[in-house]
Amino acid sequence: MSQSVTIKSNKYGINLVLNAEVAFDELLKDVIEKFKASANFFKNAKLALSFEGRELSEDEEQQIIAAIEDNTTIEILCIVENGTKQEAVMKENVEAFYDAVQQQYENAIAQNQMPENVNVPDQFYRGTLRSGQVISSDSSVTIIGDVNPGAKIIAQGNIVILGALKGNAHAGCTGDRSCFIFALDMQPIQIQIGDLIAKSPDKPEPKRRARRKEKTSEAEAQIAIAKDGNIYIEPITKNILNNI
């Protein structure tokens, strides 16, 4: 079998190491061959994908994703750029989030009971939601991308956004206040949990004389929860997740 493609699995998905010297058409055939041979190992998996060893255009990346999904039962959720700060932040916060949720399940199983407020996301949307777009879910939902102003997410369960929340989000839309909203960058216009609503304050008009754009600090992952009849937005920690 050709060695122009190497698959490396990790906790977050798969990393494709691609030979930079092979023609792309041949490389694409090798990708198909490699994944067909590994189909049973990755059966029905939902994975993040990263590339190494070769510069790819956006069109080439999409061709590789299509080749994988058309020839296996794998679903590629997103492309992660290796070695970037965004990758490091995403991995750190996603790991904390899912580890904490998994711990809740393990504790519940040990006690022979399943708490109603543990709701792992089971619907995924890959891509940026733009103004006017609405996603509705009768369960929990994970967005791999940003939610821009004017876009809206409505879910009966939890909402997890692996990107920036700058639009509207409504978790627990049937009235469940035990649900939460998680985002790597929390800047919503409005959020709602159950019947509770919180709106962002109006931002002051920027001063026109300020020409130089100041550097802003990196966004901090946050979670919105309902407590004592109010919505609170707090930095994400394992302790918070273990107590929601």
Side-chain angles (χ1 to χ4, degrees):
M1 184 177 292
S2 173
Q3 296 301 311
S4 66
V5 178
T6 303
I7 302 174
K8 294 182 179 180
S9 61
N10 54 51
K11 187 172 183 179
Y12 314 99
I14 49 179
N15 183 35
L16 277 190
V17 183
L18 306 175
N19 190 317
E21 305 300 324
V22 177
F24 182 76
D25 288 345
E26 182 180 343
L27 187 74
L28 199 59
K29 293 177 182 178
D30 292 341
V31 169
I32 295 172
E33 179 185 3
K34 198 77 171 181
F35 274 91
K36 279 185 175 180
S38 308
N40 289 334
F41 181 79
F42 292 111
K43 189 175 182 180
N44 297 322
K46 297 181 178 181
L47 304 168
L49 177 65
S50 58
F51 299 106
E52 183 181 335
R54 182 185 183 113
E55 291 290 331
L56 296 170
S57 67
E58 184 176 345
D59 180 65
E60 289 173 337
E61 289 181 350
Q62 293 305 315
Q63 287 187 59
I64 291 176
I65 291 173
I68 295 171
E69 294 185 334
D70 289 346
N71 291 277
T72 68
T73 56
I74 295 172
E75 180 182 352
I76 303 300
L77 299 176
C78 63
I79 295 175
V80 178
E81 294 183 17
N82 282 323
T84 61
K85 281 188 176 182
Q86 182 181 17
E87 177 203 25
V89 170
M90 186 188 82
K91 286 183 177 180
E92 179 183 352
N93 288 287
V94 171
E95 180 177 350
F97 171 74
Y98 281 104
D99 282 353
V101 174
Q102 181 63 33
Q103 187 63 53
Q104 284 186 295
Y105 268 109
E106 291 174 0
N107 292 342
I109 291 171
Q111 298 170 12
N112 294 317
Q113 61 181 7
M114 187 60 69
E116 295 180 357
N117 64 330
V118 179
N119 194 349
V120 175
D122 52 19
Q123 287 193 5
F124 290 84
Y125 177 90
R126 183 179 68 238
T128 295
L129 286 184
R130 307 193 183 281
S131 179
Q133 290 184 294
V134 178
I135 284 184
S136 297
S137 172
D138 57 5
S139 58
S140 293
V141 63
T142 295
I143 308 295
I144 312 244
D146 296 335
V147 180
N148 285 345
K152 189 173 186 179
I153 308 169
I154 305 170
Q156 290 187 24
N158 305 316
I159 295 173
V160 176
I161 300 169
L162 303 183
L165 171 57
K166 299 180 180 179
N168 293 10
H170 185 181
C173 64
T174 56
D176 187 356
R177 292 187 180 183
S178 69
C179 294
F180 59 80
I181 300 170
F182 168 93
L184 293 181
D185 184 3
M186 184 79 77
Q187 303 180 53
I189 293 176
Q190 176 178 296
I191 55 175
Q192 186 169 350
I193 299 177
D195 59 335
L196 301 176
I197 299 175
K199 295 183 179 181
S200 63
D202 293 333
K203 294 181 180 180
E205 289 292 329
K207 296 179 180 179
R208 293 184 179 274
R209 64 184 180 183
R211 293 184 179 180
R212 187 174 61 182
K213 188 175 181 180
E214 297 294 334
K215 292 184 179 180
T216 57
S217 58
E218 290 186 13
E220 182 179 31
Q222 293 180 304
I223 189 168
I225 58 174
K227 184 169 58 178
D228 301 327
N230 294 297
I231 292 178
Y232 295 88
I233 298 177
E234 303 176 359
I236 193 73
T237 64
K238 289 187 178 181
N239 183 56
I240 288 177
L241 287 172
N242 284 329
N243 287 282
I244 59 175

